[in-house]
């Protein structure tokens, strides 16, 4: 059995970049740009006033008084130079009129009829945002490979862009397996349970920026499993859940081999999530995740998410890991590393982690009441107060979990 890290390495070594597409700028949010964006003009495009105030030539100030000779709102280009000894009333964002080099804010002058008197010290160049101060024409503003957050989207808009070329979203086929499964919306009959995995995996895909394609349920026979997997290969990658263990009715591995897939691993030393396989079938990656709902989601986090992110051009592939303190003792009696679900909180600026109770891999509430994982080595026993590394699955700790 290989380790989590070895499995991640194998997966990432077989993960390449997807193609690109041009999308409306707001659709590019949280995606990775696939073009260098060069500024076509200076930002600001001219010298602008940074304040509501008066613009004048610094050398003209005599005894601190100036004659007001006009008014310039934002959005209007100045035409006439300001005469010597005069000041132009100017609004924030208006271009500095020719002949002026300094702005004094309105609150720093005494207005006396058509004259203003400066109250205090003024320096040449005060309160002017200079042309090209932020970006010069021809500068590289957003480099290919950058993640587009709201500020990047904003700066692209300021350069006049309405679209961006970004890495495409991964299209991921999601297939559940099991004779016991009913689709959500059904009332469970005896012996049946609802297929929750497809929906939780789809939610994880959406959160990672991928596009789920729901393939429904493959019943537990080889022929159906093989056919449904074949259908899934039309997507960029395929995720299956269940049927990958060693039970009499577990056909996923066999179906992958039947389809001449290259099976790279089919067991990983971890709890939850040991039965997890990774195969390349007809050049498509197939992740066969465990059936147990928690195991499927935890395995998605460790193996699928980093791969999806890499395909979509991201360079930060793993969840953040921080150091924090356990509030309760934890033990791993088993021989495999245990990913213990914990609720992580910030208390006085320090991370604290509390295990989420019964850690059964079938119990989704061990994830709903938490937001992080602690990896406990085999046979480890940690006392309350121990310092541990915490993998943060989401940021809800900032909002304070119960
Ligand atoms: P398996 O690996 O197929 O034996 O599944 C392991 C356990 O996970 C069984 O108890 C299944 O009932 C459960 N399970 C499998 N698939 C799903 C699913 N799509 N949604 C919820 N539970 C599932
Ligand atoms: Mg099954």
């Amino acid at each position: 059995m290989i380790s989590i890290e070895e499995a991640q390495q194998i997966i990432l070594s077989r993960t390449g970049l997807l193609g690109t597409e041009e999308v409306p700028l707001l659709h590019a949010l949280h995606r990775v740009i696939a073009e260098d964006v060069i500024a076509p003009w200076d930002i600001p495009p001219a010298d602008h006033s940074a304040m509501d105030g008066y613009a004048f030539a610094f050398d003209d100030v005599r005894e601190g008084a100036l004659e007001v000779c006009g008014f310039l709102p934002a959005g209007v280009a100045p035409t006439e130079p300001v005469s010597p000894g005069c000041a132009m009333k100017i609004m924030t964002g208006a271009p500095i009129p020719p002949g002026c080099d300094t702005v004094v804010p309105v609150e720093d002058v005494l207005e006396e009829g058509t004259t203003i008197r400066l109250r205090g010290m003024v320096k040449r160049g005060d309160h002017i945002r200079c042309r090209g101060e932020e970006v010069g024409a021809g500068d590289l503003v957003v480099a290919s490979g950058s993640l587009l957050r709201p500020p990047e989207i904003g700066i692209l808009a300021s350069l006049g862009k309405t679209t961006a070329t970004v890495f495409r979203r991964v299209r991921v086929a999601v297939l559940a397996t099991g004779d016991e499964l009913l689709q959500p919306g059904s009332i469970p009959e005896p012996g049946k349970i609802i297929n929750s995995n497809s929906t939780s995996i789809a939610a994880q895909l959406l959160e990672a920026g991928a596009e789920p394609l729901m393939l429904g349920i493959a019943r537990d026979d080889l022929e159906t499993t093989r056919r449904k997997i074949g259908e899934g290969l039309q997507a960029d990658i395929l995720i299956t859940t269940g049927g990958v263990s060693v039970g009499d009715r577990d056909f996923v591995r066999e179906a992958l081999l039947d389809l001449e897939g290259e099976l790279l691993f089919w067991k990983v030393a971890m709890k939850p999530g040991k039965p997890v396989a990774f195969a390349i079938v007809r050049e498509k990656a197939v992740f066969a995740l465990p059936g147990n709902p928690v195991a499927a989601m935890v395995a998605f986090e460790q193996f699928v998410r980093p791969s999806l992110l890499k395909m979509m051009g991201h360079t930060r592939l793993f969840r953040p890991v921080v150091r924090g303190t356990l509030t309760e003792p934890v033990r791993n009696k088993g021989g495999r590393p245990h990913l213990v679900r914990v609720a992580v909180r910030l208390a006085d600026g320090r991370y604290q982690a509390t295990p989420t109770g019964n850690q059964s891999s079938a119990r989704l509430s061990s994830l709903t009441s938490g937001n992080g994982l602690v990896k406990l080595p085999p046979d480890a026993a940690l006392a309350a107060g121990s310092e541990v590394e915490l993998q943060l699955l989401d940021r809800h700790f900032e909002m304070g979990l119960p």
Side-chain angles (χ1 to χ4, degrees):
M1 237 188 305
I2 59 172
S3 68
I4 297 175
E5 292 74 18
E6 284 167 329
Q8 286 169 337
Q9 251 174 28
I10 292 171
I11 291 165
L12 292 178
S13 74
R14 304 296 294 251
T15 301
L17 271 181
L18 281 182
T20 62
E21 62 180 345
E22 189 178 349
V23 297
L25 199 48
L26 282 177
H27 292 233
L29 182 65
H30 295 153
R31 293 173 68 175
V32 176
I33 192 160
E35 56 176 334
D36 281 338
V37 178
I38 309 290
W41 49 65
D42 294 330
I43 296 179
D47 295 349
H48 283 272
S49 176
M51 300 291 278
D52 293 330
Y54 294 90
F56 56 92
F58 183 79
D59 289 335
D60 280 358
V61 186
R62 297 193 188 91
E63 294 155 16
L66 289 159
E67 192 66 21
V68 180
C69 60
F71 175 68
L72 196 60
V76 175
T79 44
E80 309 243 314
V82 173
S83 325
C86 289
M88 177 79 89
K89 189 161 195 184
I90 191 167
M91 298 296 100
T92 306
I96 303 295
C100 298
D101 61 5
T102 305
V103 169
V104 59
V106 73
E107 51 272 38
D108 290 351
V109 302
L110 282 172
E111 291 166 329
E112 295 168 351
T114 58
T115 320
I116 56 164
R117 197 166 285 285
L118 307 185
R119 287 183 199 258
M121 286 282 292
V122 175
K123 288 199 309 302
R124 186 192 303 278
D126 271 358
H127 305 295
I128 292 184
R129 292 185 196 129
C130 295
R131 172 179 179 162
E133 178 178 284
E134 182 176 353
V135 171
D139 284 356
L140 173 63
V141 183
V142 180
S144 178
S146 305
L147 176 66
L148 299 180
R149 303 167 304 158
E152 284 78 21
I153 297 287
I155 210 164
L156 291 176
S158 76
L159 301 176
K161 280 184 75 81
T162 56
T163 63
T165 299
V166 292
F167 289 101
R168 187 160 84 57
R169 298 174 69 186
V170 197
R171 284 189 289 271
V172 185
V174 180
L175 176 64
T177 69
D179 284 338
E180 74 281 32
L181 300 178
L182 298 173
Q183 285 296 48
S186 324
I187 310 280
E189 305 151 18
K192 307 284 188 191
I193 58 164
I194 306 288
N195 165 21
S196 61
N197 284 351
S198 294
T199 308
S200 50
I201 297 292
Q204 286 180 302
L205 287 167
L206 289 172
E207 196 202 40
E211 245 174 62
L213 303 170
M214 303 302 245
L215 286 193
I217 300 166
R219 296 305 169 193
D220 288 328
D221 65 78
L222 181 58
E223 175 48 34
T224 321
T225 308
R226 196 170 42 207
R227 185 170 47 76
K228 284 294 224 177
I229 288 178
E231 255 177 62
L233 296 176
Q234 302 191 9
D236 296 313
I237 69 174
L238 165 66
I239 298 175
T240 64
T241 65
V244 75
S245 201
V246 291
D248 294 345
R249 291 291 177 89
D250 289 336
F251 290 113
V252 171
R253 250 186 87 218
E254 204 177 331
L256 291 172
L257 292 171
D258 269 10
L259 292 164
E260 293 174 10
E262 182 187 358
L263 196 58
L264 289 141
F265 61 80
W266 59 286
K267 264 186 193 175
V268 178
M270 64 190 276
K271 191 181 141 192
K274 178 174 81 172
V276 50
F278 176 64
I280 306 287
V281 189
R282 296 185 200 147
E283 296 179 12
K284 300 284 171 72
V286 180
F287 294 86
L289 305 185
N292 273 308
V294 176
M297 293 192 80
V298 169
F300 178 98
E301 275 289 337
Q302 307 309 312
F303 305 123
V304 187
R305 190 174 181 277
S307 176
L308 295 175
L309 293 180
K310 185 171 176 190
M311 292 174 90
M312 296 187 290
H314 292 262
T315 46
R316 183 187 277 227
L317 306 181
F318 295 100
R319 297 286 195 187
V321 173
V322 297
R323 295 191 75 78
T325 312
L326 282 173
T327 62
E328 292 173 15
V330 285
R331 269 186 84 171
N332 179 8
K333 292 185 200 152
R336 288 174 270 145
H338 188 185
L339 298 172
V340 180
R341 279 77 79 199
V342 292
V344 183
R345 294 182 196 81
L346 257 181
D348 294 330
R350 293 181 55 85
Y351 291 108
Q352 282 186 350
T354 306
T356 57
N358 179 344
Q359 297 283 309
S360 157
S361 62
R363 196 178 154 264
L364 262 187
S365 40
S366 71
L367 279 170
T368 58
S369 56
N371 56 350
L373 298 171
V374 175
K375 190 162 122 193
L376 265 192
D379 302 315
L382 297 180
S386 304
E387 192 165 279
V388 286
E389 289 193 338
L390 306 168
Q391 188 181 57
L392 300 177
L393 299 182
D394 63 54
R395 311 188 58 187
H396 286 287
F397 59 94
E398 286 172 345
M399 295 183 238
L401 278 165

